[in-house]
Amino acid sequence: MAIKSILCHMANDDRHRDRLELAIQLTTRFSGHLDVLYNTAPVAMPAGAAGRAASNVFLAEQRDIAKKKAEAIRQELDERFAKVDVGHAYHQTEGDHVEKLAEYAHLSDLVIVSQAPPKGVTSNIALHHPEEIALEAGCATLVLPHEEEFWAPGRRVGKRVAVGWRNCKEASRAVREAMPFLLEAEDVHVFTEEEEAQSLKGVGIGRYLSMHGVKATVHTDIHDEGNIGEQLLTRAAAYDCDLLVMGAYSRARWRELLMGGVSEYVLHHLDRPVLMSH
């Protein structure tokens, strides 16, 4: 599957420039079109506020602040796009980040977002939950680590790719949607359990990738009794992979969240970009 339509989440947080630069880089690399979505949360009164006059003043101030932030972002985008030859469009919306991103993602091939900041880190916005975007987007979601030390802006993503594999629709879709990255990669490592590697009566993931022109090394040392998310991140780091491809799982979602599922763990402990598909 080609990556021709890319959607970038452009919020007023401290990593929005990094997302934009990667989005421009990937749009150029795959000869595509870039849609940039800036979304603002609806202005609302804080809990415990009293007095109609005071409330009106507060709401007016917050709307003015939101308008100025949006104008600053738009100016920043205009200045950046004036320096590059990239087909693009700007969209400004108001509402829930996940819902608005999902609406535009239905006609996108790739959505670029950032990992939610760690607890205790103040963000300029009520940041979305990237795992929810991966489940709702309807296309591949590329999640970037919040900490800059784990992903340097301007670095090429997909030089060495790690694939977390299990024989299910989510992982299968992730592999297909990541194919443009896999085909360009210098090195591809698949991490799975031994029985998964030879699934589908011997036609395993290694053979599937080979038929598509991707030469991959299949590692069968993932153990189901351990923390699979931790194992995937550890293996990806050991082989210096700059992109992890995996499925975003939602089966028995409440149970996965309570017990600490693979998707949840990876998204909370990101140390490199991850491409997820549901």
Side-chain angles (χ1 to χ4, degrees), residues 7-268:
L7 176 63
C8 178
H9 181 217
M10 187 72 173
N12 186 42
D13 63 298
D14 57 358
R15 298 311 303 270
H16 71 270
R17 292 184 183 89
D18 297 335
R19 289 195 301 277
L20 178 63
E21 289 306 315
L22 178 60
I24 291 174
Q25 180 192 121
L26 293 178
T27 302
T28 302
R29 180 169 153 190
F30 295 125
S31 302
H33 181 276
L34 175 60
D35 286 293
V36 179
L37 178 67
Y38 179 77
N39 183 73
T40 60
V43 176
M45 285 297 299
R52 182 173 181 179
S55 299
N56 289 336
V57 170
F58 174 84
L59 292 173
E61 290 177 346
Q62 292 304 305
R63 291 192 184 97
D64 185 56
I65 291 173
K67 181 180 178 181
K68 289 180 178 178
K69 287 181 178 179
E71 290 173 349
I73 289 290
R74 183 60 190 269
Q75 182 177 350
E76 183 180 333
L77 287 170
D78 288 342
E79 292 175 355
R80 184 65 187 95
F81 282 121
K83 300 176 182 178
V84 293
D85 183 19
V86 172
H88 65 278
Y90 173 74
H91 312 276
Q92 184 174 328
T93 61
E94 180 180 295
D96 180 82
H97 285 273
V98 175
E99 291 180 0
K100 294 302 178 182
L101 277 166
E103 288 178 12
Y104 284 85
H106 293 154
L107 289 176
S108 300
D109 301 315
L110 180 69
V111 179
I112 300 176
V113 298
S114 289
Q115 175 193 35
K119 291 181 179 180
V121 175
T122 303
S123 177
N124 293 330
I125 61 171
L127 200 65
H128 58 285
H129 298 283
E131 67 273 17
E132 293 184 11
I133 295 172
L135 292 169
E136 301 293 338
C139 68
T141 300
L142 182 60
V143 187
L144 304 181
H146 180 268
E147 298 298 328
E148 188 170 327
E149 65 183 285
F150 296 132
W151 177 72
R155 182 178 180 181
R156 183 182 176 89
V157 172
K159 188 174 182 179
R160 286 178 293 276
V161 182
V163 178
W165 175 254
R166 57 178 296 194
N167 185 30
C168 63
K169 65 178 182 179
E170 292 87 353
S172 176
R173 180 169 182 174
V175 167
R176 289 197 300 272
E177 293 187 330
M179 196 59 71
F181 288 98
L182 296 173
L183 288 168
E184 289 189 355
E186 295 179 4
D187 218 2
V188 177
H189 294 270
V190 179
F191 301 100
T192 186
E193 297 175 83
E194 185 172 1
E195 61 183 62
E196 290 283 353
Q198 297 301 323
S199 61
L200 299 181
K201 298 182 179 179
V203 185
I205 181 62
R207 180 181 169 184
Y208 175 82
L209 290 172
S210 178
M211 289 189 293
H212 286 271
V214 178
K215 185 178 180 181
T217 303
V218 180
H219 306 266
T220 59
D221 55 352
I222 297 297
H223 303 289
D224 192 37
E225 65 272 14
N227 185 322
I228 295 178
E230 182 179 19
Q231 292 177 61
L232 289 176
L233 290 174
T234 299
R235 304 293 193 280
Y239 288 89
D240 195 27
C241 295
D242 52 44
L243 177 65
L244 171 61
V245 175
M246 61 179 290
Y249 308 109
S250 64
R251 185 179 299 115
R253 188 175 174 191
W254 63 271
R255 184 172 182 271
E256 180 180 0
L257 292 174
L258 287 173
M259 298 181 69
V262 178
S263 307
E264 170 108 348
Y265 183 90
V266 169
L267 286 166
H268 278 79

